[in-house]
Amino acid sequence: RRCVQETALKQKGLTYNAVKYFASYPDHTPLSMPALSPTMQKGNIVQWNFKEGDKVTPGDVICEVETDKATVGFEMQEEGYLAKILLPAGTKDVEIGQLVAILVDSQDAVASFKAVSYTHLTLPTIYSVQISVVAGSLKKK
């Protein structure tokens, strides 16, 4: 479990937000796109069945994902509260491992993630990503 704080820095004359992780955020669990079929490489998020702040339990289908074969439910394995949906319904070509949401243990922790946002991050690269504020593009370190 890691945590996030954005800090400004200058790089080539442009302002970037560097995503840094440390313990100022409550404990949380990143939810990444699972492989929902043996041949799945990417999926499309069709709809979210829960909204931010909702309690989820094991067996709940938090969202519907269109794979290369069919539309399948993303079933929760843990109990908690859906703190942040990072990729909205309609997002296409979400790679396996790409971060889609954040789960927390208590409802009180949900508000801490209100301002958090990511795009096109995978768990192995999440800790070294820079997001351009000026140009609006994603740059990996």
Side-chain angles (χ1 to χ4, degrees):
R1 294 183 181 193
R2 297 285 185 203
C3 301
V4 182
Q5 178 188 21
E6 294 181 1
T7 56
L9 63 95
K10 293 283 186 183
Q11 187 178 65
K12 296 182 182 178
L14 299 175
T15 302
Y16 288 82
N17 279 342
V19 180
K20 290 194 174 185
Y21 297 82
F22 55 90
S24 66
Y25 277 75
D27 282 347
H28 61 279
T29 302
L31 300 176
S32 61
M33 177 63 78
L36 296 170
S37 77
T39 58
M40 179 180 168
Q41 305 240 333
K42 295 179 181 181
N44 303 326
I45 298 175
V46 177
Q47 71 177 23
W48 285 94
N49 299 328
F50 290 82
K51 61 185 185 307
E52 291 174 1
D54 285 351
K55 183 173 183 166
V56 295
T57 58
D60 285 345
V61 176
I62 60 167
C63 71
E64 302 292 330
V65 177
E66 180 183 13
T67 71
D68 56 334
K69 305 253 185 234
T71 299
V72 183
F74 178 169
E75 190 174 302
M76 284 302 305
Q77 304 299 313
E78 298 181 47
E79 183 174 325
Y81 293 86
L82 193 57
K84 188 69 178 180
I85 294 172
L86 300 168
L87 299 177
T91 303
K92 303 223 180 274
D93 296 327
V94 180
E95 294 183 17
I96 293 171
Q98 186 171 336
L99 197 58
V100 296
I102 297 174
L103 186 72
V104 293
D105 294 333
S106 75
Q107 193 167 27
D108 294 338
V110 171
S112 300
F113 293 90
K114 184 177 181 180
V116 173
S117 66
Y118 303 108
T119 55
H120 302 94
L121 303 179
T122 58
L123 290 177
T125 61
I126 188 171
Y127 302 111
S128 62
V129 173
Q130 294 180 337
I131 303 170
S132 169
V133 173
V134 176
S137 64
L138 184 72
K139 290 195 172 256
K140 293 183 182 175
K141 261 184 153 177

